[in-house]
């Protein structure tokens, strides 16, 4: 054997080993969304380098180089809102200020309502109160007696209206009263809940947890345990709680090493699922159908008018079928994370709505009947946490408050209510009703010549803006002034409870349109031909560059 032959053999052997690896690596890269959201590590690096800077009292109003007269209207508009908020929300604001000093959560949400450049000046002028005292029907009342239409949906918990949950909690508490908060043993109502959840999910077994985040953690842990594979696949932009492995990008100081973030609704991702051997599970949050591959649309990132959303039920259904097929072929566990959407679209949740069955399903939020909960439903083989043949090989999952009697009893009432004719009637024609309502608002906005539209997935809505502007985030403050309550992410997500009657909704439409008209009159939506979304983004990049340290 001469040396050349040996060398060639070594090279061929090396290529044989490395080429398949390189091919799989390339496929993985192709399956990443080209945005920063699709590249978690890079996004984290970029986020850590982003310099902080703030607009002063001049730049705040003319960051888009609006004419002097427009700037004056904006100033007057903000001054009017400032005094209106200070007068109308005096007590609620005073308590918010008092609490914020010792409540880190309030400091965080207060700082991240609008793009960071505008936040410090705006907070000096206009603060949003975070205390309320009552809820009834579709409204909430603050400490000053102001009544707001509730568009927050309590982070998605409120599907059937606050009174419904008050009833679940009151009746549930009465049922649990004799046992009290005794933990470890179960209240008999747990048996009912198991039976009903098995029916609803079409799956064999159930486990109870304390939050949606914990339910997702447990579902992924079970998938890893049973498949003996390491990686979870999540889709770009999807939220699954705040556990490290499902939040690999900015916001998490850890760097999870066993998470792939892939493009949703894309053949490249299916190729990765078809070829890699290290994938234990695929996590799907069906809410992403409204804005695939994009993160939750909060107003803090509303720097221009690029935000768009559109729900295509047929396309998303086809995607879920493709996922189901490849997961079945490859022995990958398909997990539907229905913590947000479960029970909102159909009594059987997203599985029923899209007609696709998952191997594990997580629920939470509304299922607790107003109390905190997380639930995993799954196929028997996947839910097992131990092995008879390897007694020390277990998949541990316990939590002090799991199956808390008061939560279980409130859940029992919730599940019983689902079967009542009144709740069944709510589901009848649900999509048609909410699509018609979205169309109604869009028509009114269009007729009024306002640069605002909404997109919806049934009763979950997002607002988008049809002409370039740097100030779209101001709309949230005009909406609040019109008595529409929004969550801290502002116009990015409006969540309606399903007990909205037409008359309530008509009132919301009137107020929404009035808010947008006021904002327009105050000049925030001024624009000229040079003000494009691209120009806005370039301008911001120049500012970032100038403030680099
Ligand atoms: C789809 C989804 N999964 C998980 C979670 C986390 O649930 P929790 O906030 O109860 O921990 C959320 C919360 O918004 C969610 O929307």
């Amino acid at each position: 054997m001469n040396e050349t032959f040996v060398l060639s053999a070594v090279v061929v052997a090396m290529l044989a080993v490395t080429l398949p690896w390189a091919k799989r690596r390339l496929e993985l890269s192709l399956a990443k969304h080209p945005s920063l959201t699709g590249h978690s590590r890079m996004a984290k690096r970029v986020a850590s380098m982003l310099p902080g800077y703030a607009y002063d009292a001049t730049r705040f109003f003319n960051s888009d180089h609006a004419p002097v007269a427009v700037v004056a209207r904006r100033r007057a508009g903000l001054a009017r809102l400032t005094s209106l908020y200070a007068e109308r929300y005096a007590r609620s604001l005073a308590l918010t200020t008092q609490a914020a000093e010792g409540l880190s959560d309030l400091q965080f949400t207060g700082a991240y309502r609008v793009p960071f450049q505008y936040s410090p000046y705006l907070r000096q002028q206009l603060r949003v109160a975070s205390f309320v005292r009552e809820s009834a029907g579709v409204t909430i009342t603050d400490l000053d007696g102001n009544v707001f239409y509730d568009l927050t949906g309590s982070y998605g918990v409120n599907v059937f209206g606050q009174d419904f949950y008050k009833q679940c909690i009151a009746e549930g508490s009465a049922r649990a009263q004799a046992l009290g908060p005794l933990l470890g043993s179960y209240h008999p109502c747990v048996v009912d809940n198991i039976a009903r959840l098995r029916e609803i999910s079409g799956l064999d077994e159930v486990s109870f947890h304390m939050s949606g985040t914990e339910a997702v953690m447990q579902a992924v842990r079970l998938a890893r345990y049973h498949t003996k594979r390491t990686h979870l696949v999540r889709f770009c932009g999807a939220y699954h709680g705040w556990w490290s492995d499902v939040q690999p990008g900015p916001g998490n100081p850890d760097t999870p090493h066993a998470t792939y973030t892939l493009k949703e609704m894309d053949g490249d991702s299916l190729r990765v699922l078809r070829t890699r051997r290290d994938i234990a599970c695929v996590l799907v949050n069906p809410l992403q159908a409204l804005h695939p591959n994009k993160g939750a649309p909060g107003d803090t990132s509303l720097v221009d008018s690029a935000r768009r959303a559109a729900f295509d039920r047929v396309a998303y259904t086809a995607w879920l079928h493709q996922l189901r097929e490849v997961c079945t072929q490859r022995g990958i566990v398909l997990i539907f994370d229905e913590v947000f959407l479960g029970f909102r679209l159909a009594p059987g949740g997203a599985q029923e709505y899209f007609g696709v069955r998952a191997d594990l399903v997580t629920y939470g939020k509304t299922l607790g009947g107003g109390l905190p909960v997380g639930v995993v439903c799954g196929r028997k083989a996947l839910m097992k946490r131990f092995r008879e043949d390897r007694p020390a090989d277990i998949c541990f999952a316990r939590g002090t408050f799991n199956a808390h009697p008061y939560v279980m009893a409130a859940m029992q009432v919730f599940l019983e209510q689902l079967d009542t004719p009144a709740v069944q009637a709510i589901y009848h024609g649900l999509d048609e009703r909410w699509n018609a309502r979205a169309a109604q608002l869009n028509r009114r906005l269009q007729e009024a010549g306002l640069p605002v539209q909404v997109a919806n997935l049934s009763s979950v809505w997002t607002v988008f803006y049809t002409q370039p502007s740097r100030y779209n985030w101001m709309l949230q403050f005009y909406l609040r002034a019109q008595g529409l309550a929004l969550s801290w992410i502002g116009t990015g997500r409006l969540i309606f409870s399903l007990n909205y009657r037409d008359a309530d909704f008509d009132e919301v439409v009137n107020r929404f349109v009035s808010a947008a008209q006021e904002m327009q009159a105050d000049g925030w939506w001024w624009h000229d031909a040079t003000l494009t979304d691209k120009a806005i983004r370039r301008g911001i990049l120049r500012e970032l560059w100038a403030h680099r340290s």
Side-chain angles (χ1 to χ4, degrees):
M1 259 196 305
N2 66 27
E3 264 176 40
T4 318
F5 178 77
V6 172
L7 208 61
S8 308
V10 169
V11 169
V12 168
M14 277 171 65
L15 282 177
V17 171
T18 55
L19 271 182
W21 176 87
K23 182 171 172 282
R24 279 198 304 277
R25 192 70 199 79
L26 180 67
E27 282 170 352
L28 194 58
S29 294
L30 289 173
K32 289 187 178 186
H33 195 264
S35 67
L36 267 184
T37 322
H39 290 78
S40 312
R41 283 184 204 176
M42 203 189 299
K44 248 161 89 165
R45 227 169 290 136
V46 171
S48 71
M49 291 185 313
L50 201 74
Y53 64 97
Y55 295 149
D56 61 17
T58 304
R59 186 90 173 115
F60 180 91
F61 295 98
N62 72 359
S63 59
D64 54 356
H65 309 291
V68 175
V70 172
V71 167
R73 268 159 59 204
R74 289 175 179 175
R75 275 188 192 283
L78 183 60
R80 210 182 55 251
L81 278 180
T82 301
S83 52
L84 183 145
Y85 271 48
E87 256 172 57
R88 197 187 279 172
Y89 312 130
R91 282 177 181 208
S92 313
L93 276 172
L95 207 61
T96 306
T97 308
Q98 189 187 329
E101 203 181 312
L103 189 57
S104 47
D105 205 38
L106 260 186
Q107 292 167 26
F108 177 78
T109 52
Y112 288 88
R113 287 185 196 281
V114 305
F116 70 87
Q117 300 91 336
Y118 300 91
S119 184
Y121 181 75
L122 188 72
R123 272 180 282 157
Q124 286 167 25
Q125 310 299 317
L126 203 59
R127 285 174 307 111
V128 176
S130 297
F131 281 86
V132 288
R133 70 163 191 233
E134 267 173 49
S135 64
V138 292
T139 62
I140 52 183
T141 305
D142 72 6
L143 307 187
D144 301 88
N146 299 296
V147 179
F148 296 80
Y149 281 98
D150 183 10
L151 310 186
T152 72
S154 291
Y155 295 122
V157 170
N158 185 4
V159 176
F160 297 113
Q162 294 293 354
D163 300 313
F164 177 97
Y165 298 92
K166 286 179 192 175
Q167 189 199 335
C168 291
I169 292 172
E171 211 172 309
S173 300
R175 290 181 194 182
Q177 177 68 24
L179 182 61
L182 182 116
L183 302 167
S185 306
Y186 296 108
H187 188 285
C189 70
V190 167
V191 175
D192 277 356
N193 293 348
I194 296 167
R196 198 66 189 90
L197 285 168
R198 289 174 67 180
E199 226 168 60
I200 287 168
S201 66
L203 292 160
D204 309 314
E205 292 186 16
V206 177
S207 66
F208 297 109
H209 308 273
M210 290 167 286
S211 67
T213 299
E214 281 194 21
V216 169
M217 280 166 61
Q218 171 62 356
V220 173
R221 181 177 277 199
L222 283 167
R224 285 175 168 156
Y225 175 67
H226 287 287
T227 59
K228 300 194 180 348
R229 301 176 194 161
T230 49
H231 279 66
L232 76 86
V233 164
R234 66 184 274 274
F235 292 111
C236 181
Y239 185 67
H240 296 284
W242 62 284
W243 169 47
S244 256
D245 281 26
V246 292
Q247 205 188 39
N252 176 6
D254 284 351
T255 304
H257 294 286
T259 299
Y260 294 133
T261 298
L262 305 185
K263 278 183 282 189
E264 186 147 27
M265 301 182 79
D266 197 289
D268 289 337
S269 301
L270 295 176
R271 190 170 312 118
V272 168
L273 295 175
R274 245 180 246 122
T275 50
R276 291 197 78 90
R277 294 206 197 100
D278 55 353
I279 297 173
C281 58
V282 176
L283 259 176
V284 179
N285 177 356
L287 179 58
Q288 289 299 109
L290 182 56
H291 40 68
N293 295 307
K294 300 202 180 98
D299 282 5
T300 192
S301 54
L302 198 59
V303 292
D304 57 19
S305 298
R307 182 154 90 195
R308 284 292 177 278
F311 171 49
D312 183 339
R313 183 171 176 177
V314 173
Y316 201 74
T317 302
W319 164 246
L320 292 181
H321 277 291
Q322 285 175 305
L323 271 184
R324 177 65 278 175
E325 200 183 318
V326 72
C327 285
T328 304
Q329 280 165 6
R330 302 289 300 166
I332 296 168
V333 179
L334 180 61
I335 306 173
F336 276 11
D337 180 358
E338 297 206 30
V339 168
F340 193 100
L341 276 189
F343 306 97
R344 184 170 278 278
L345 303 178
Q351 287 196 107
E352 178 186 330
Y353 185 81
F354 291 106
V356 178
R357 292 269 159 212
D359 301 307
L360 294 173
V361 179
T362 56
Y363 300 103
K365 297 204 191 251
T366 196
L367 178 55
L371 294 178
V373 80
V375 168
V376 181
C377 294
R379 290 198 288 108
K380 193 168 197 58
L382 287 172
M383 294 294 279
K384 189 156 186 182
R385 301 185 198 166
F386 60 93
R387 296 175 53 176
E388 308 287 356
D389 59 337
R390 295 274 189 282
D393 183 4
I394 57 171
C395 181
F396 187 84
R398 304 287 299 162
T400 303
F401 287 107
N402 291 0
H404 189 292
Y406 283 76
V407 178
M408 289 297 109
M411 182 188 291
Q412 186 189 34
V413 181
F414 175 91
L415 291 169
E416 285 169 3
Q417 287 294 316
L418 276 189
D419 292 333
T420 59
V423 172
Q424 291 294 316
I426 289 176
Y427 284 118
H428 196 72
L430 190 69
D431 263 13
E432 290 75 11
R433 185 154 57 252
W434 286 100
N435 291 344
R437 286 174 172 172
Q440 179 189 344
L441 177 56
N442 280 337
R443 212 170 31 249
R444 284 283 303 279
L445 290 164
Q446 228 165 17
E447 282 164 7
L450 294 159
V452 187
Q453 291 282 279
V454 295
N456 72 304
L457 193 175
S458 204
S459 53
V460 185
W461 294 22
T462 186
V463 178
F464 64 93
Y465 301 86
T466 57
Q467 78 190 19
S469 171
R470 269 187 158 224
Y471 291 98
N472 294 318
W473 43 266
M474 271 302 290
L475 181 60
Q476 59 170 292
F477 302 101
Y478 285 88
L479 291 170
R480 289 192 180 101
Q482 281 288 338
L484 301 178
L486 307 178
S487 68
W488 70 277
I489 63 169
T491 64
R493 186 152 291 157
L494 314 180
I495 306 169
F496 291 90
S497 50
L498 306 185
N499 60 331
Y500 261 89
R501 294 165 309 158
D502 285 344
D504 299 319
F505 185 74
D506 290 346
E507 188 55 29
V508 169
V509 169
N510 290 337
R511 292 177 185 213
F512 198 107
V513 172
S514 297
Q517 279 170 327
E518 282 170 22
M519 170 146 162
Q520 191 176 46
D522 286 341
W524 300 103
W525 278 317
W526 166 89
H527 79 119
D528 67 6
T530 63
L531 191 74
T532 60
D533 282 334
K534 212 169 173 181
I536 293 172
R537 283 195 294 273
R538 275 209 198 115
I540 291 172
L541 278 177
R542 273 196 299 272
E543 289 169 7
L544 289 169
W545 182 252
H547 287 91
R548 74 194 184 280
S549 48

